[in-house]
Amino acid sequence: MRDLLTIENLRTHFFAPEGTIKAVDGVSLRVREGETVCIVGESGCGKSITALSVMGLAAGSSGKVVGGRIEFDGRNLLELDKNELRTLRGHEIAMIFQEPMSSLNPVLPVGEQIMEPLIEHLKLGKKAARARAIELIAQVGIARPEQIANAYPHELSGGMLQRIMIAAAISCSPKLLIADEPTTALDVTIQAQILDMLRRFKAESNMSILLITHDLGVVAEMADYVVVMYAGKVVEEGEVTELFSHPKHPYTKGLLRSKPILNHRQDELYAIPGQVPNPLELTVSCYFHDRCGQCMDVCRSREPRLREAGERHRVACWLYEEAVAYV
């Protein structure tokens, strides 16, 4: 399989009066054709900003991609102008945003919002675009698609809105679908249906998926490859079976340990002590050192680099002999 998306040393920073926030600080990852890559980590680790950087939506009045390379299907996205990015977004790369209620236009019927990319990118007429939008609404499992196409976002449930977002995202058969917490705030039955839907669309079109989540159950069910992020950096990555069976980084182990085990009685759920550090107070170190039960002196003064820990498995941790070679 060839690489569809390649991110190399991506750095996206936000500039505030208090200082520079390094939301994404040297992240590298790859998504192959037909592969599902999951980015996992706690809130504030830089997962969503990484995805928004790929879409060209991270930069704003205070944010900027200050370094790195984002190559999609042979093109460096950071070198494209606004019109070229607009042509790419929604057509070859699509995104399901975390909050459908805030992402959908509240004053437009949902059918019209699905029609927009069809008219813009596929140049369909309004009649053909509406027919396709109704077909897509039915494909994502919503009954009465003709009536739902005329509904406004506030008239639909959270699960239905998420399905509408998926319908809009897949409308132009993108090569890459970025899904940012697509099952957050949904009940478990709807979550399972959404994940089944994404798997089906991936299989039908050989679509690649970059899935952002904090739910390790979703990771185990969906991922081919997993990237673990912490405080704007990748701390471990590997194929899903290898990473779940042989986690290396203490943070990855903590995430796996904190997941409830079915049919296993636990008097108290495990939680990683402490919190993700304030991005304005980061120093040269392993950013996880003050939460790690295996912290060494070198962890407080040197930043570990990603090193090979097996086939398609890399870890950034001073605990491993390969990494200590940097001392």
Side-chain angles (χ1 to χ4, degrees):
M1 293 187 293
R2 74 181 184 97
D3 293 335
L4 180 66
L5 175 71
T6 302
I7 300 175
E8 295 180 354
N9 198 29
L10 177 66
R11 293 181 291 128
T12 303
H13 296 176
F14 290 84
F15 304 94
E18 299 83 2
T20 300
I21 298 171
K22 299 178 180 180
V24 177
D25 192 20
V27 166
S28 298
L29 63 87
R30 298 179 182 228
V31 182
R32 296 176 174 180
E33 285 185 329
E35 184 178 52
T36 298
V37 174
C38 284
I39 304 178
V40 65
E42 295 168 278
S43 297
C45 286
K47 307 184 302 296
S48 295
I49 298 300
T50 300
L52 291 172
S53 298
V54 174
M55 295 293 289
L57 299 174
S61 58
S62 63
K64 184 178 180 181
V65 176
V66 299
R69 181 180 180 86
I70 304 173
E71 187 173 296
F72 172 76
D73 204 17
R75 289 164 287 180
N76 186 356
L77 301 186
L78 299 180
E79 295 178 351
L80 303 184
D81 61 30
K82 290 183 179 180
N83 290 331
E84 290 172 321
L85 273 175
R86 192 178 296 115
T87 300
L88 195 70
R89 285 196 298 256
H91 187 197
E92 296 186 55
I93 305 176
M95 185 166 180
I96 303 169
F97 293 93
Q98 189 168 348
E99 296 291 342
M101 183 58 82
S102 60
S103 301
L104 293 168
N105 191 325
V107 299
L108 282 180
V110 295
E112 290 189 24
Q113 300 187 55
I114 298 173
M115 290 166 58
E116 285 181 359
L118 295 168
I119 295 171
E120 173 70 21
H121 299 297
L122 302 187
K123 309 303 179 184
L124 297 185
K126 286 190 176 181
K127 185 175 180 180
R130 179 171 175 80
R132 177 58 178 154
I134 291 171
E135 182 182 331
L136 286 162
I137 292 171
Q139 280 185 10
V140 296
I142 298 179
R144 301 178 296 109
E146 295 87 351
Q147 293 92 326
I148 294 299
N150 296 320
Y152 291 86
H154 71 272
E155 298 178 296
L156 304 180
S157 68
M160 294 176 77
L161 288 175
Q162 196 63 284
R163 291 168 188 264
I164 294 296
M165 288 284 293
I166 293 173
I170 67 168
S171 61
C172 296
S173 301
K175 296 177 181 178
L176 174 65
L177 177 65
I178 300 174
D180 188 1
E181 302 277 10
T183 59
T184 296
L186 301 178
D187 65 61
V188 291
T189 302
I190 301 300
Q191 282 186 28
Q193 292 173 0
I194 295 294
L195 296 178
D196 285 341
M197 196 181 307
L198 291 176
R199 272 197 302 268
R200 175 163 55 88
F201 291 136
K202 174 191 171 184
E204 290 173 354
S205 62
N206 197 37
M207 178 176 64
S208 300
I209 298 177
L210 182 62
L211 178 62
I212 297 163
T213 184
H214 61 269
D215 188 334
L216 290 169
V218 172
V219 174
E221 190 171 345
M222 292 292 294
D224 298 309
Y225 196 80
V226 185
V227 176
V228 182
M229 284 187 66
Y230 186 78
K233 293 183 178 292
V234 175
V235 296
E236 187 168 3
E237 62 179 11
E239 293 184 351
V240 62
T241 51
E242 168 67 15
L243 189 133
F244 271 62
S245 301
H246 304 101
K248 302 293 185 185
H249 200 282
Y251 180 61
T252 308
K253 294 177 181 178
L255 290 175
L256 292 169
R257 186 180 170 191
S258 64
K259 187 181 184 300
I261 301 173
L262 190 65
N263 297 325
H264 178 74
R265 181 172 179 176
Q266 295 171 276
D267 294 329
E268 185 176 338
L269 290 175
Y270 175 79
I272 301 172
Q275 296 181 348
V276 177
N278 184 333
L280 293 171
E281 299 174 356
L282 295 174
T283 59
V284 177
S285 63
C286 169
Y287 295 160
F288 189 63
H289 75 268
D290 60 347
R291 304 176 69 186
C292 181
Q294 297 172 282
C295 177
M296 303 178 291
D297 288 341
V298 68
C299 305
R300 299 184 177 92
S301 59
R302 298 286 301 276
E303 178 187 332
R305 305 183 195 181
L306 279 169
R307 296 280 289 174
E308 298 297 327
E311 187 176 354
R312 293 199 79 199
H313 190 175
R314 300 199 299 166
V315 61
C317 181
W318 289 113
L319 284 172
Y320 297 94
E321 189 174 332
E322 296 88 343
V324 174
Y326 278 105
V327 178

